[in-house]
Each structure stands twice: as structure tokens, then as C-alpha cells.
Amino acid sequence: MRWRLWALVPAILLVGVVSATVAAGDSLDGLVGNAPPPADEFDVRRVEFAPGTISIHITNPQREHLTLAQVTVDDAIVPFSIDGVRGARTLGRLESATVSVPFFWVEDDPYAIGLISSTGIVTTHDVPAAVATEQPSLHGAVGLAVIGILVGVVPIALGLAWLPSLRRASPRSLAAFMALTAGLLTFLMVEALAEALELQARLPGALNGTGLVVLGVASSYLGLTLVASRLSGSGSGLGGVGLATLVAIGIGVHNLGEGLAIGSSLALGELALGAFLIVGFMVHNVTEGLGIAAPVADGAARVSPGRLAGLALVAGAPAVLGAWIGGFLTNDLLAVLFFGMAAGAALQVVVEVGRYVARRAPGGLTSGPVVGGYLAGIVAMYATGLLTA
Amino acid sequence: MRVTRRRLLAGAPIVASAPLAAMALTDAYGSDTHMMDGHLMSAADMAGMHASMIGDAVPAPDGPDLILEPPAGHEPGPVRSYELVATEKDIEVAKGVFYPAWAYGLAGGPPTVPGPTIRVTEGQRMRVRLLNASSHPHTIHFHGIHPSNMDGVFEMVDPGATFTYEFPAAPAGLHLYHCHATPLKKHIAKGLYGALIIDPKTPRPPAQELVMVMNGYDTNGDGANEFYTVNGRAFYYARHPIRVSRSRTVRIYLVNVTEFDLINSFHLHGEFFRYYPTGTTDRFEYTDTVMLCQGQRGIVEIDFKNTGHFMFHAHVSEFTELGWMGFFEVAD
């Protein structure tokens, strides 16, 4: 037992050293010269426009305390309340608050919101066009669900309709289509990773956005590895419907991120979602349906339509969930995590598909059809992606 | 029905919609009324507050007003002496916003931005002793007629040192003084300025006399002002309206020292005034709006006909909404 008690000693020593350092405090500050004053800038997470009110969600991103003293809209000092209370308010490290400004804003006008600290430092946030923020409502939820289904479920179901023709394909062609699935997922993986890294750059540094990305990627990669081992059961490697399910899950997590992006862009008034854009997303996602159909076609067993519908839902329905989350609950931290997870999931499925193709393709992983199919998958995603740019 | 992973995943959206439906039922936003200070107010009430804030509802720095009332004029004697001390002081320029200013103050009194008003009679010797109690060299440059070695341009007053400016006061009128050490923008913008009144030998008719120095503050160092004030504190005279009587003329010694902005202006509501540019002649303009560049000044004389609250502010709307506005409370 005694060794367990000894394990506590470093922890106790750490507590002691930390307390001593904190108590020493200022005398240590002078050792290496003067520190610059804190930047005293606010992190503006979100600006919402409701009838007669502008709401500004802010965070103190720095180590030191930060006091909000004045708020300006278009270079005019305005009365404001923070979390319902009038007057200045000091935010601790990483503390968030909502600033409420009674204001008759003009639809589509640009606005410059200024947040002035007690030290006179101004944080400016430019709103390119004031658009009423969609409030949580049944109407809004149904609308987002419809968009999610159109963009997620429908194209994948359409892609699955390729299944009968795929079943009649030669093993070489089928290997090419499997490689296409892998290429497609590689594209999705890199896209999701890029999005995650871009979003994390906007988080306060103290939250360690890069660490969140690593967490997201690792957790979904390992999570899907667990799912894969459960689905393959006999340990002979994943194939057929099992592999298709894994691909569907990977695509589903990615579509969660896509729905999140669409939902939050709509909520922030940054996205003009016209018919053209929806069609663009649909065409882009049809290839994903093909990617799920390919492993199913290669499997020996007959698959019921119910099962296929289930696969389509697994891959497509998360777009609805993502749209709801993005539309109603914008949270930058979650968005970074989601996109990291999407990247990790896609990576895991690429590895799984790669293993399958290495086993089953005539000519192996480096044969012409496989390489060509892989590249075709990337090209197809790129070309259809241009429609959604 | 067997519960499989797939069915669970498919059912997730339906399960997730439950809290959203609950949200839709509670009207979290969308109403036109707000709770502020515990009272329900309509949006119309609240938007109106901003444009016509008066009294306690106005957020403005508190504290005594040491600038509005000028010192008494026509003090007898051949010399009128002042002792000014230049120091560094953090001042509250708008409610909750603090600025590290450089300020002149009368010896034994607090430093203020704008600095204390110096008043002499034309022909009287003016003696101003400057003690530099700050960490940068400063001077005092007076607008007026004087020898060049009393001009405050070449003779730097180092930290800890003193310098006495002495010369006969001329010409009669309203002038100003400010630091002329370099960099010029910084030494003025930081707060080293004040009004200089040189009374004519024949006194002006009696009036309720006020000093108003228009200035601005660049609190974040970007070369533009974030706040504009009259007499140093944003919205101060909206919170504490200036009480005057309509049975006597109101005389305002108005000076503009705003840095960074090309022009400033003064506009009075509900009444017209006589404006004597620089106060050096008896020719006046009868108007309700005048424009001044940095260094320009003039005497404003108002004979209020009506009682009530009359707003005065820059007719540069941006300056008004950033602190340069106030009210006259006119009574009998």
C-alpha cells in the first residue's frame, strides 16, 4: 500500500509550490522587466438582431480582467445592459456575457458595433448587413429540417439507386468504385480538417483550439474503430453491408458538420440560401450515395430496401441535426469539435476502405482502376463542390 | 421491433426535436417590451432615451465642476499671479472609461482637463509660474501678444524645473494656452490646455459668465477621438444641466482645443445668440450655430426668452453622440 501513498507526494509538492508562487506574486513580476499592458479587446462571438434590440455575445479572451464601460453603434454612445443589468461590468478570464442594446436598426444596413473597455480600448465588430435573427420556432425548425433532408437524405438515397448497376459491374470496376469512395472520403476529411482549423483560429487562444481539433479527430477515429470492430465481429475484416454502414456513419458525421455550417450561416444572415445553392449541395452529395452503394454491391448478401433506407438515413439525417444545432445554438467550440470529429471519422473510414480494397481488388491497392477511381472520387467532389462555392 | 444502432441513429433527429419544440412554445424573444431598471418600457421609449438623455438616467462621470465658473475679473493691482503645476493624472473622461491624462492644475488644487482658466485685465502684468511635476518636459504657450522668450516654444521646462512667464496682458478678448512641447499632437491631446480671458479695461456688461472648452479624447491611440466633451467629461451637462436665469444675459467664453478633428461647432436649441469671434471687437454674428477650428474661440452671449430645458451641442452629430452635449435649465 505504501507505494500508493508515495504517489501522492508529487501532487502535494505541486500544490505547495503553486501556493508559494501565487503568494510571492508581484515580486516575481519585476524579475524580467516590464510586461506590456493587456490588449483589453473583447471577443465578439455573435451579434443578433431582434425587433428593437441588438444583442451582442461577448467573451473576455485574456488572462486579465476586462471591464466593459461603454458601447457604441455607428459611432454613437448607446444605453446598454449586460445580462439584464445596466452599467459597466467586469468580466473575468474567459467569462462570457450578453450585451443588450435597445436600438431601432434598419434592415440590410451595415452597422459598426464598438465595445469600449474601462481603459478606453475600442473593439469594433462590423456587421455587413443587419438581418433579423431567426428565433427558435417550430416554423424555423421545420424549415431547417426540410433543407437538411433535401441536402442530406435525398441525394444519398438517389446515389444508392446506382446499386443495381453496380452489382452487375466487373470486379475491376467495382474496385474502382470502392476507390472512388475512398477518394471522396479523403476529400471530405481534408475539407473538414481545414474547416476545423479555420474555426479554431477564431476562438480565444486560451481555449487551445488546435487541441480541440486533435481531440475531435482522435475521439471520432477511435470511436469508429470500435464500431468497425463490433460490426466485423469475426475479425476477418469489414466488408459488404458492414463496411457500407461504416461509410454511412463517416459520411453522416461529415453531413452533421455540413448541416451545422448551413444552419449557423443562415442564422447569422451570412448565407443567401437560394434554390441554386440547394441544388449544388444535392449534386455534391449524390456522389456520397454512390460511395455507400459500392461496398454494398461488392457484398454477397442481398440487402433489403429497409436496410438501404436505414443507410441513407444514417448518412443523411445528421444534416438535419446539424442544421438545427447550427441554426439555434451557435457555439464556436462545439463547431470546432464537430468538424474535427468529421475529419477523424472520414479518415477512419478511408483506412477501412483501403484495407478492403487491398484485400479484394484484382491487382491490389496500386492497380490502375484503384488509383484512377481514387482520383476520380476527388475530382468528382471538387467539381460538384464548385456548385456550392 | 428490435432496437438496432441504425434505428437509434435514424431516430435521433426526432428525439432532438423535443427541446426545440419546447423552445418554440416559450416566446423567448420577439416582444417589443424590455425590462430595464425593473420597469417595463416599450422599445419606443428606450430608443428615445438615447437622443434626449437628461438627469440621472445619463451615464456621466461624477465629481465637482471646477471649470464652468471663471475666476472673478478685474482684480486690482499691477500684477495678477498664477501658479500652475503640470502633472500626470488618470481621469474619468466618460462613465467608466479612464484616460491617463497630462493636466495643469492650480498649485494646491487638483489637476484638471481642461486646465484652470487664467484671467487678467488688459494692461495688467500677467505672471504665470509653471512647475513641472511630471516625467516629460512641458511648456505653456499663450495665445496673445508677448515677447518671443515668453512664448513657450524654445524654453523647455524639464521635469522638476520651474519657469515664470511674465508680460503685460494683451490683447483684450478670449484666448487660450496650451503646452507647446513636441510631439505637438500628443502634448495637446493629452490634456495640457485651458482658457485665457483678458478683460478689456472697460468691463463688459454684467452677465452670468461660463467657460466652455471643447475637447476630445483619443483613448486608444489610433489618432482619432473616441469621446468628445465640453469641459472634460462626456455628457456631464446632460446629467447636470446648467442652471441659468432668463432675466440676465448668459455669457459663454467658448474655446475649441479638439485635436485630430478639423472642426468643432456649437449649436444652441430654442434661442439665438450673439457671437463675438475671439472677443476682440464688438461686431457680432447673430446665429444659433458657429464653427470653430482648433485654437479658435469666441464669446457667446445669450438672452433667453423662454424657460425650460434647452440642449446645446456640437452640430457635428457624431461629436454629440460621443459626449459633447448638455442642457441649459432656464428659469426666471
Side-chain angles (χ1 to χ4, degrees), chain A residues 160 303-313, chain B residues 6-7 10:
Chain A
L160 282 176
V303 182
S304 68
R307 246 211 172 149
L308 286 175
L311 283 174
L313 274 178
Chain B
R6 214 169 295 150
R7 279 192 225 271

Side-chain angles (χ1 to χ4, degrees), chain B residues 99-313:
Chain B
Y99 176 69
W102 294 345
Y104 295 118
L106 290 172
T112 57
V113 175
T117 304
I118 295 178
R119 191 166 191 172
V120 289
T121 311
E122 188 183 20
Q124 198 174 32
R125 277 187 88 75
M126 187 173 128
R127 185 185 292 152
V128 180
R129 181 170 169 273
L130 172 67
L131 163 64
N132 186 351
S134 77
S135 58
H136 288 258
H138 294 303
T139 71
I140 304 182
H141 164 68
F142 293 95
H143 283 228
I145 301 171
H146 47 254
S148 69
N149 64 345
M150 289 289 139
D151 200 28
V153 170
F154 303 111
E155 298 78 12
M156 288 295 132
V157 184
D158 285 326
T162 67
F163 188 96
T164 304
Y165 301 88
E166 186 168 337
F167 47 86
L174 171 62
H175 310 295
L176 62 146
Y177 66 89
H178 58 85
C179 179
H180 214 284
T182 48
L184 206 49
K185 265 196 302 194
K186 176 81 81 180
H187 281 253
I188 295 178
K190 278 284 224 179
L192 290 167
Y193 41 77
L196 166 63
I197 303 174
I198 301 184
D199 288 309
K201 293 198 173 82
T202 318
R204 298 183 200 272
Q208 306 163 88
E209 290 193 330
L210 309 168
V211 170
M212 288 191 182
V213 178
M214 306 185 284
N215 70 348
Y217 295 101
D218 175 16
T219 56
N220 63 352
D222 65 350
N225 289 311
E226 276 67 51
F227 298 99
Y228 296 87
T229 86
V230 59
N231 287 348
R233 287 174 287 200
F235 297 119
Y236 186 83
Y237 298 113
R239 188 176 175 85
H240 307 285
I242 302 174
R243 293 210 180 103
V244 293
S245 159
R246 67 170 167 173
S247 54
R248 293 164 68 212
T249 303
V250 177
R251 181 178 298 129
I252 305 174
Y253 294 97
L254 179 70
V255 179
N256 181 29
V257 283
T258 311
E259 189 59 73
F260 306 118
D261 292 281
L262 295 177
I263 60 170
N264 203 332
S265 62
F266 176 90
H267 167 61
L268 177 65
H269 280 220
E271 188 55 80
F272 267 47
F273 53 82
R274 297 183 293 279
Y275 183 69
Y276 303 85
T278 322
T280 47
T281 75
D282 52 16
R283 280 192 307 277
F284 59 86
E285 186 192 349
Y286 187 58
T287 182
D288 67 357
T289 308
V290 287
M291 171 179 78
L292 295 93
C293 78
Q294 187 189 50
Q296 275 190 312
R297 62 277 188 192
I299 297 179
V300 169
E301 286 190 354
I302 317 169
D303 292 311
F304 281 104
K305 282 175 207 61
N306 300 297
T307 57
H309 285 110
F310 295 100
M311 194 165 163
F312 64 93
H313 59 91

Side-chain angles (χ1 to χ4, degrees), chain B residues 18-62:
Chain B
L20 285 164
M23 267 199 280
L25 291 172
T26 61
D27 187 20
Y29 299 88
S31 70
D32 267 345
T33 55
H34 303 262
M35 289 287 286
M36 291 268 261
D37 291 345
H39 305 291
L40 268 175
M41 309 183 72
S42 77
D45 282 338
M46 295 178 65
M49 261 166 62
H50 168 57
S52 52
M53 299 192 288
I54 190 167
D56 285 338
V58 179
D62 278 317

Side-chain angles (χ1 to χ4, degrees), chain A residues 48 51-53 69-70 72 75-79 81 86 102 104 116-122 135-138 231 245 307 310 313-314 317 321 324 328, chain B residues 5-6 9-10 13 16-17 20-21 23-24 29 31-32 34 36-37 43-44 46-47 49-50 57 94-98 219-220 226-227 235 318 321-322:
Chain A
E48 290 174 355
T53 309
Q70 297 280 355
T72 64
D75 286 330
I77 292 176
V78 288
S81 57
R86 291 281 296 274
F104 280 130
I116 307 184
S117 69
S118 60
T119 48
I121 307 297
V122 186
Q135 301 306 337
S137 68
L138 206 57
L231 283 175
T245 310
R307 246 211 172 149
L313 274 178
V314 166
L321 192 63
W324 280 343
F328 297 135
Chain B
R5 242 167 280 136
R6 214 169 295 150
L9 279 168
S17 67
L20 285 164
M23 267 199 280
Y29 299 88
S31 70
D32 267 345
H34 303 262
M36 291 268 261
D37 291 345
M46 295 178 65
M49 261 166 62
H50 168 57
K95 182 89 180 139
V97 182
F98 293 84
T219 56
N220 63 352
E226 276 67 51
F227 298 99
F235 297 119
E318 186 186 329
E321 292 186 307
L322 289 173

